Amino acid sequence: MEKREDLRSMLQYLPLVVQSSSIAWPPSLEQELQTMFTGPGGSMVNSGEALALRITSMREALSLNVSDLAPYALQGCALFFDEIINREESAKFFGGVVPALCGLLLNLPSSLEKHYNKADFVLDGVTSGLRLLGPQEAGIVFLSQELNAAILACSFLCLFPEVDRRLKHLQGINFDELFSVLYTRQCMKQESKIRCLVHYFERICQCIPRGFVSFERKVLPLEYNPHYVSYPEADYWAKSITPLCSVEVHTTGVIEDQPGEALEVEFADEYFGGLTLRHGCLQEEIRFMMNPELIAGMLFLPRMDRNEAIEIVGAERFTLYTGFGSSFEFAGDYLDNKELDRYMRRRTRVVAIDAMPRPGRKQYKPDGLLREVNKAFTGYLHQCKHQAVPLPSSASASHVVECSERWCTDHEEKKIGVATGNWGCGVFGGDPEVKIMLQWLAISQSGRPLMSCYTFGLQALQNVNQVIEKISFQEMNVGELWSKLVEYSTERFSRRTKLGFFSWLITSLSYTS
């Protein structure tokens, strides 16, 4: 077991050890888990304060410093379970959920061994084992929902080592900052985030799901090769004759509730998960609360580069919510009835693509446009087995997609559209009119048939249907729309126009018609 490269890449980030070719808990930590598994009658863990003390002793058993946790994290844990939730909820959690989580963790070594023994056979010899999926390393990790739950149980009990994670551009995955922010700021949204996670634990402890979740790092090669799709230059977009795909605009509703199967855009920053386990409550953080299995990817997926995206298939939804940002609230249970694919993954596909933060005027420069359209293109392309897709002469990316060798998804994926929204236009400060056009270009060029756009009532996009109809009437292709976008951005950057892209484009087309 210790000879496996995938396992070796993860050992320093796990609270486990390899002994006599077997994965195991350190004996003192295993004893702590055995004691807690007996329930509050034997462990005396019947309150938030008692749990905080037990977390301290478990970290000591792992030779992890309590001082490495966020300040006041343990006080926040005590506050939530002893004061914020009622006694009945607290008793239910400590009487049933905590022992069940400890039972899940006691089985973690054997679950991991089973995982690695099967990892080379899930995808016809393609490695799918849990490992550090580093920058420029295209690959996929398949986790059972049971293993995923055990990872999140480790996060809840703050058992993951923090050392060297930042050196590898990995976010923290322990839940200490969640409780720290709750204690220091005592904000409603933080309480609701923790309630979402507690509800997830209550659900999986009643019945462990038996499906799988895949995490795929998608890489568009930077090295140019005339025979392969690689990271495109501006000329690639300008010369494209690919038709623009269909568009549906939704002024109400949210991406996760869209009725059909689609690739759902998660508005990530460069670190997968963003501020999910800290103080953030943007749409991406809310998505991680609804589908907590996404959090497991933070364990082994470092920061994304400009030519990378992360696609997750199969994450189950467990909660309802209301509000957004500071008004976000946990709103109860959700039963996910999405069908399973042939790999036992729910047909929920989420793609993380990071937008430029606070780009200002830089987003109108050629490099800014190219960076954003290529980032979206990376996320929307169907990943192929060898990172590079053979490109027949005179073929568009859509043709490439249709003939590319797939490594994990079914042949129906090319028919699946993209459900997206105001990507990078909230606190990131992107131009909504430019961003939606860039996404339209990337989705069309990737060969997907449909862009379902959720505007969330954004005033800047109130005329988007009119603009799309105008562009469609002109029968513009990808190259022509790209050229218009470049022309506009040049004028906007040089301050020769103050118009938004929509007004500028309609005026421009009126002059030429």
Side-chain angles (χ1 to χ4, degrees), residues 16 37 52 56 65 104 114 135 139 161 230 248-250 257 288 340 358 370 383 385 431 447 449 457:
L16 302 164
F37 178 61
T56 298
N65 294 325
L104 189 65
K114 184 188 302 182
S230 55
E248 292 178 353
V249 176
H250 305 270
D257 288 338
F288 276 60
L340 302 181
R358 297 171 292 280
L370 190 62
Q383 185 67 10
K385 185 172 181 179
D431 183 326

PDB file of all heavy atoms in Angstrom, residues 16 37 52 56 65 104 114 135 139 161 230 248-250 257 288 340 358 370 383 385 431 447 449 457:
ATOM      1  N   LEU A  16      -3.768   9.975   9.110  1.00  0.00           N
ATOM      2  CA  LEU A  16      -3.560   8.536   9.164  1.00  0.00           C
ATOM      3  C   LEU A  16      -2.095   8.197   8.945  1.00  0.00           C
ATOM      4  O   LEU A  16      -1.302   9.037   8.509  1.00  0.00           O
ATOM      5  CB  LEU A  16      -4.409   7.842   8.098  1.00  0.00           C
ATOM      6  CG  LEU A  16      -5.918   8.098   8.177  1.00  0.00           C
ATOM      7  CD1 LEU A  16      -6.595   7.696   6.883  1.00  0.00           C
ATOM      8  CD2 LEU A  16      -6.530   7.334   9.350  1.00  0.00           C
ATOM      9  N   PHE A  37     -17.360   6.684  20.194  1.00  0.00           N
ATOM     10  CA  PHE A  37     -18.301   5.811  19.500  1.00  0.00           C
ATOM     11  C   PHE A  37     -19.317   5.192  20.472  1.00  0.00           C
ATOM     12  O   PHE A  37     -20.438   4.858  20.091  1.00  0.00           O
ATOM     13  CB  PHE A  37     -17.534   4.715  18.765  1.00  0.00           C
ATOM     14  CG  PHE A  37     -18.393   3.730  18.043  1.00  0.00           C
ATOM     15  CD1 PHE A  37     -19.251   4.127  17.019  1.00  0.00           C
ATOM     16  CD2 PHE A  37     -18.366   2.378  18.374  1.00  0.00           C
ATOM     17  CE1 PHE A  37     -20.053   3.212  16.348  1.00  0.00           C
ATOM     18  CE2 PHE A  37     -19.159   1.453  17.717  1.00  0.00           C
ATOM     19  CZ  PHE A  37     -20.008   1.872  16.697  1.00  0.00           C
ATOM     20  N   ALA A  52     -15.468  20.359  22.382  1.00  0.00           N
ATOM     21  CA  ALA A  52     -14.278  21.187  22.174  1.00  0.00           C
ATOM     22  C   ALA A  52     -13.081  20.602  22.929  1.00  0.00           C
ATOM     23  O   ALA A  52     -11.958  20.560  22.403  1.00  0.00           O
ATOM     24  CB  ALA A  52     -14.557  22.615  22.622  1.00  0.00           C
ATOM     25  N   THR A  56      -9.554  18.914  21.335  1.00  0.00           N
ATOM     26  CA  THR A  56      -8.207  19.247  21.818  1.00  0.00           C
ATOM     27  C   THR A  56      -7.406  17.977  22.086  1.00  0.00           C
ATOM     28  O   THR A  56      -6.244  17.854  21.665  1.00  0.00           O
ATOM     29  CB  THR A  56      -8.292  20.087  23.112  1.00  0.00           C
ATOM     30  OG1 THR A  56      -8.970  21.314  22.828  1.00  0.00           O
ATOM     31  CG2 THR A  56      -6.911  20.394  23.654  1.00  0.00           C
ATOM     32  N   ASN A  65      -0.949  20.891  17.031  1.00  0.00           N
ATOM     33  CA  ASN A  65      -1.105  21.962  18.008  1.00  0.00           C
ATOM     34  C   ASN A  65      -2.502  22.565  17.939  1.00  0.00           C
ATOM     35  O   ASN A  65      -2.995  22.891  16.853  1.00  0.00           O
ATOM     36  CB  ASN A  65      -0.080  23.080  17.756  1.00  0.00           C
ATOM     37  CG  ASN A  65       1.340  22.608  17.998  1.00  0.00           C
ATOM     38  OD1 ASN A  65       1.596  21.805  18.889  1.00  0.00           O
ATOM     39  ND2 ASN A  65       2.267  23.114  17.194  1.00  0.00           N
ATOM     40  N   LEU A 104     -17.964   5.966  11.550  1.00  0.00           N
ATOM     41  CA  LEU A 104     -17.555   6.184  10.164  1.00  0.00           C
ATOM     42  C   LEU A 104     -16.038   6.377  10.084  1.00  0.00           C
ATOM     43  O   LEU A 104     -15.368   5.828   9.201  1.00  0.00           O
ATOM     44  CB  LEU A 104     -18.279   7.421   9.619  1.00  0.00           C
ATOM     45  CG  LEU A 104     -18.172   7.727   8.126  1.00  0.00           C
ATOM     46  CD1 LEU A 104     -18.833   6.640   7.286  1.00  0.00           C
ATOM     47  CD2 LEU A 104     -18.838   9.082   7.839  1.00  0.00           C
ATOM     48  N   LYS A 114      -9.827  -0.082   0.556  1.00  0.00           N
ATOM     49  CA  LYS A 114     -10.743  -0.574  -0.468  1.00  0.00           C
ATOM     50  C   LYS A 114     -10.759   0.380  -1.661  1.00  0.00           C
ATOM     51  O   LYS A 114     -10.770  -0.046  -2.820  1.00  0.00           O
ATOM     52  CB  LYS A 114     -12.151  -0.709   0.128  1.00  0.00           C
ATOM     53  CG  LYS A 114     -13.172  -1.307  -0.824  1.00  0.00           C
ATOM     54  CD  LYS A 114     -14.581  -1.234  -0.236  1.00  0.00           C
ATOM     55  CE  LYS A 114     -14.671  -1.939   1.101  1.00  0.00           C
ATOM     56  NZ  LYS A 114     -16.066  -1.909   1.640  1.00  0.00           N
ATOM     57  N   PRO A 135      -1.243  21.546  -9.971  1.00  0.00           N
ATOM     58  CA  PRO A 135      -1.362  22.402 -11.141  1.00  0.00           C
ATOM     59  C   PRO A 135      -0.814  21.730 -12.396  1.00  0.00           C
ATOM     60  O   PRO A 135       0.208  21.048 -12.342  1.00  0.00           O
ATOM     61  CB  PRO A 135      -0.535  23.637 -10.766  1.00  0.00           C
ATOM     62  CG  PRO A 135      -0.570  23.664  -9.273  1.00  0.00           C
ATOM     63  CD  PRO A 135      -0.557  22.226  -8.857  1.00  0.00           C
ATOM     64  N   GLY A 139      -6.478  15.219 -14.458  1.00  0.00           N
ATOM     65  CA  GLY A 139      -6.761  13.924 -13.852  1.00  0.00           C
ATOM     66  C   GLY A 139      -8.087  13.937 -13.136  1.00  0.00           C
ATOM     67  O   GLY A 139      -8.763  14.968 -13.033  1.00  0.00           O
ATOM     68  N   PRO A 161      -4.072  17.761   9.351  1.00  0.00           N
ATOM     69  CA  PRO A 161      -2.887  18.596   9.610  1.00  0.00           C
ATOM     70  C   PRO A 161      -2.935  19.851   8.739  1.00  0.00           C
ATOM     71  O   PRO A 161      -3.299  19.789   7.556  1.00  0.00           O
ATOM     72  CB  PRO A 161      -1.716  17.695   9.206  1.00  0.00           C
ATOM     73  CG  PRO A 161      -2.281  16.311   9.089  1.00  0.00           C
ATOM     74  CD  PRO A 161      -3.720  16.470   8.743  1.00  0.00           C
ATOM     75  N   SER A 230      -5.159  23.599 -28.079  1.00  0.00           N
ATOM     76  CA  SER A 230      -4.371  24.035 -26.936  1.00  0.00           C
ATOM     77  C   SER A 230      -4.898  25.398 -26.507  1.00  0.00           C
ATOM     78  O   SER A 230      -5.921  25.869 -27.009  1.00  0.00           O
ATOM     79  CB  SER A 230      -2.885  24.093 -27.305  1.00  0.00           C
ATOM     80  OG  SER A 230      -2.689  24.904 -28.447  1.00  0.00           O
ATOM     81  N   GLU A 248     -31.117  30.577 -23.618  1.00  0.00           N
ATOM     82  CA  GLU A 248     -32.342  30.796 -22.858  1.00  0.00           C
ATOM     83  C   GLU A 248     -32.009  31.719 -21.699  1.00  0.00           C
ATOM     84  O   GLU A 248     -31.050  31.459 -20.952  1.00  0.00           O
ATOM     85  CB  GLU A 248     -32.899  29.480 -22.311  1.00  0.00           C
ATOM     86  CG  GLU A 248     -33.429  28.529 -23.367  1.00  0.00           C
ATOM     87  CD  GLU A 248     -33.929  27.226 -22.755  1.00  0.00           C
ATOM     88  OE1 GLU A 248     -33.738  27.036 -21.526  1.00  0.00           O
ATOM     89  OE2 GLU A 248     -34.493  26.404 -23.493  1.00  0.00           O
ATOM     90  N   VAL A 249     -32.762  32.795 -21.544  1.00  0.00           N
ATOM     91  CA  VAL A 249     -32.514  33.758 -20.470  1.00  0.00           C
ATOM     92  C   VAL A 249     -33.598  33.605 -19.408  1.00  0.00           C
ATOM     93  O   VAL A 249     -34.796  33.587 -19.719  1.00  0.00           O
ATOM     94  CB  VAL A 249     -32.495  35.206 -21.006  1.00  0.00           C
ATOM     95  CG1 VAL A 249     -32.324  36.200 -19.858  1.00  0.00           C
ATOM     96  CG2 VAL A 249     -31.365  35.382 -22.017  1.00  0.00           C
ATOM     97  N   HIS A 250     -33.155  33.482 -18.155  1.00  0.00           N
ATOM     98  CA  HIS A 250     -34.084  33.346 -17.026  1.00  0.00           C
ATOM     99  C   HIS A 250     -33.859  34.527 -16.078  1.00  0.00           C
ATOM    100  O   HIS A 250     -32.781  34.668 -15.503  1.00  0.00           O
ATOM    101  CB  HIS A 250     -33.838  32.038 -16.279  1.00  0.00           C
ATOM    102  CG  HIS A 250     -33.898  30.819 -17.157  1.00  0.00           C
ATOM    103  ND1 HIS A 250     -35.064  30.128 -17.384  1.00  0.00           N
ATOM    104  CD2 HIS A 250     -32.930  30.181 -17.869  1.00  0.00           C
ATOM    105  CE1 HIS A 250     -34.820  29.111 -18.197  1.00  0.00           C
ATOM    106  NE2 HIS A 250     -33.532  29.120 -18.507  1.00  0.00           N
ATOM    107  N   ASP A 257     -31.692  24.908  -9.503  1.00  0.00           N
ATOM    108  CA  ASP A 257     -33.060  24.418  -9.667  1.00  0.00           C
ATOM    109  C   ASP A 257     -33.467  24.268 -11.128  1.00  0.00           C
ATOM    110  O   ASP A 257     -34.628  23.970 -11.418  1.00  0.00           O
ATOM    111  CB  ASP A 257     -34.045  25.377  -8.972  1.00  0.00           C
ATOM    112  CG  ASP A 257     -33.957  25.291  -7.458  1.00  0.00           C
ATOM    113  OD1 ASP A 257     -33.485  24.252  -6.955  1.00  0.00           O
ATOM    114  OD2 ASP A 257     -34.343  26.260  -6.782  1.00  0.00           O
ATOM    115  N   PHE A 288     -21.721  25.080  -1.904  1.00  0.00           N
ATOM    116  CA  PHE A 288     -20.988  24.097  -1.108  1.00  0.00           C
ATOM    117  C   PHE A 288     -21.764  23.715   0.156  1.00  0.00           C
ATOM    118  O   PHE A 288     -21.577  22.622   0.677  1.00  0.00           O
ATOM    119  CB  PHE A 288     -19.608  24.645  -0.735  1.00  0.00           C
ATOM    120  CG  PHE A 288     -18.568  24.446  -1.793  1.00  0.00           C
ATOM    121  CD1 PHE A 288     -18.720  24.985  -3.055  1.00  0.00           C
ATOM    122  CD2 PHE A 288     -17.424  23.708  -1.532  1.00  0.00           C
ATOM    123  CE1 PHE A 288     -17.756  24.812  -4.048  1.00  0.00           C
ATOM    124  CE2 PHE A 288     -16.454  23.523  -2.509  1.00  0.00           C
ATOM    125  CZ  PHE A 288     -16.626  24.071  -3.770  1.00  0.00           C
ATOM    126  N   LEU A 340     -29.024   8.498 -11.403  1.00  0.00           N
ATOM    127  CA  LEU A 340     -27.614   8.130 -11.342  1.00  0.00           C
ATOM    128  C   LEU A 340     -27.130   7.741 -12.730  1.00  0.00           C
ATOM    129  O   LEU A 340     -27.880   7.172 -13.531  1.00  0.00           O
ATOM    130  CB  LEU A 340     -27.402   6.961 -10.382  1.00  0.00           C
ATOM    131  CG  LEU A 340     -27.868   7.151  -8.934  1.00  0.00           C
ATOM    132  CD1 LEU A 340     -27.562   5.893  -8.126  1.00  0.00           C
ATOM    133  CD2 LEU A 340     -27.223   8.368  -8.298  1.00  0.00           C
ATOM    134  N   ARG A 358     -11.726  41.894  -9.330  1.00  0.00           N
ATOM    135  CA  ARG A 358     -11.613  43.352  -9.398  1.00  0.00           C
ATOM    136  C   ARG A 358     -10.774  43.787 -10.610  1.00  0.00           C
ATOM    137  O   ARG A 358      -9.751  44.446 -10.462  1.00  0.00           O
ATOM    138  CB  ARG A 358     -11.014  43.894  -8.101  1.00  0.00           C
ATOM    139  CG  ARG A 358     -11.896  43.616  -6.889  1.00  0.00           C
ATOM    140  CD  ARG A 358     -11.212  43.951  -5.591  1.00  0.00           C
ATOM    141  NE  ARG A 358     -10.091  43.047  -5.336  1.00  0.00           N
ATOM    142  CZ  ARG A 358     -10.206  41.830  -4.850  1.00  0.00           C
ATOM    143  NH1 ARG A 358     -11.389  41.340  -4.573  1.00  0.00           N
ATOM    144  NH2 ARG A 358      -9.142  41.071  -4.642  1.00  0.00           N
ATOM    145  N   LEU A 370      -8.977  37.679 -23.454  1.00  0.00           N
ATOM    146  CA  LEU A 370      -8.497  36.347 -23.806  1.00  0.00           C
ATOM    147  C   LEU A 370      -8.444  35.445 -22.585  1.00  0.00           C
ATOM    148  O   LEU A 370      -8.819  34.265 -22.649  1.00  0.00           O
ATOM    149  CB  LEU A 370      -7.114  36.453 -24.453  1.00  0.00           C
ATOM    150  CG  LEU A 370      -6.566  35.183 -25.098  1.00  0.00           C
ATOM    151  CD1 LEU A 370      -7.465  34.724 -26.232  1.00  0.00           C
ATOM    152  CD2 LEU A 370      -5.145  35.414 -25.610  1.00  0.00           C
ATOM    153  N   GLN A 383     -13.350  17.150 -21.367  1.00  0.00           N
ATOM    154  CA  GLN A 383     -11.956  16.754 -21.141  1.00  0.00           C
ATOM    155  C   GLN A 383     -11.675  15.436 -21.852  1.00  0.00           C
ATOM    156  O   GLN A 383     -12.522  14.557 -21.915  1.00  0.00           O
ATOM    157  CB  GLN A 383     -11.676  16.593 -19.637  1.00  0.00           C
ATOM    158  CG  GLN A 383     -10.240  16.308 -19.289  1.00  0.00           C
ATOM    159  CD  GLN A 383      -9.331  17.485 -19.588  1.00  0.00           C
ATOM    160  OE1 GLN A 383      -9.789  18.572 -19.888  1.00  0.00           O
ATOM    161  NE2 GLN A 383      -8.042  17.278 -19.518  1.00  0.00           N
ATOM    162  N   LYS A 385      -8.732  12.147 -22.746  1.00  0.00           N
ATOM    163  CA  LYS A 385      -7.869  11.268 -21.963  1.00  0.00           C
ATOM    164  C   LYS A 385      -6.436  11.751 -21.870  1.00  0.00           C
ATOM    165  O   LYS A 385      -5.789  11.606 -20.853  1.00  0.00           O
ATOM    166  CB  LYS A 385      -7.905   9.862 -22.556  1.00  0.00           C
ATOM    167  CG  LYS A 385      -7.140   8.829 -21.744  1.00  0.00           C
ATOM    168  CD  LYS A 385      -7.380   7.435 -22.272  1.00  0.00           C
ATOM    169  CE  LYS A 385      -6.645   6.399 -21.456  1.00  0.00           C
ATOM    170  NZ  LYS A 385      -6.896   5.045 -21.944  1.00  0.00           N
ATOM    171  N   ASP A 431     -17.669  43.208 -15.780  1.00  0.00           N
ATOM    172  CA  ASP A 431     -18.697  43.860 -16.589  1.00  0.00           C
ATOM    173  C   ASP A 431     -19.700  42.796 -17.030  1.00  0.00           C
ATOM    174  O   ASP A 431     -19.367  41.922 -17.838  1.00  0.00           O
ATOM    175  CB  ASP A 431     -18.031  44.513 -17.810  1.00  0.00           C
ATOM    176  CG  ASP A 431     -19.011  45.276 -18.684  1.00  0.00           C
ATOM    177  OD1 ASP A 431     -20.173  44.851 -18.792  1.00  0.00           O
ATOM    178  OD2 ASP A 431     -18.598  46.286 -19.277  1.00  0.00           O
ATOM    179  N   GLY A 447     -18.768  23.394 -28.328  1.00  0.00           N
ATOM    180  CA  GLY A 447     -19.650  22.406 -28.942  1.00  0.00           C
ATOM    181  C   GLY A 447     -20.899  22.104 -28.165  1.00  0.00           C
ATOM    182  O   GLY A 447     -21.675  21.228 -28.552  1.00  0.00           O
ATOM    183  N   PRO A 449     -24.749  22.719 -26.871  1.00  0.00           N
ATOM    184  CA  PRO A 449     -25.858  23.222 -27.680  1.00  0.00           C
ATOM    185  C   PRO A 449     -26.614  24.409 -27.100  1.00  0.00           C
ATOM    186  O   PRO A 449     -27.359  25.072 -27.819  1.00  0.00           O
ATOM    187  CB  PRO A 449     -26.791  22.014 -27.762  1.00  0.00           C
ATOM    188  CG  PRO A 449     -26.562  21.294 -26.464  1.00  0.00           C
ATOM    189  CD  PRO A 449     -25.100  21.476 -26.150  1.00  0.00           C
ATOM    190  N   GLY A 457     -32.112  38.935 -11.958  1.00  0.00           N
ATOM    191  CA  GLY A 457     -32.716  40.265 -11.950  1.00  0.00           C
ATOM    192  C   GLY A 457     -31.730  41.412 -12.071  1.00  0.00           C
ATOM    193  O   GLY A 457     -32.086  42.568 -11.786  1.00  0.00           O
TER     194      GLY A 457
END
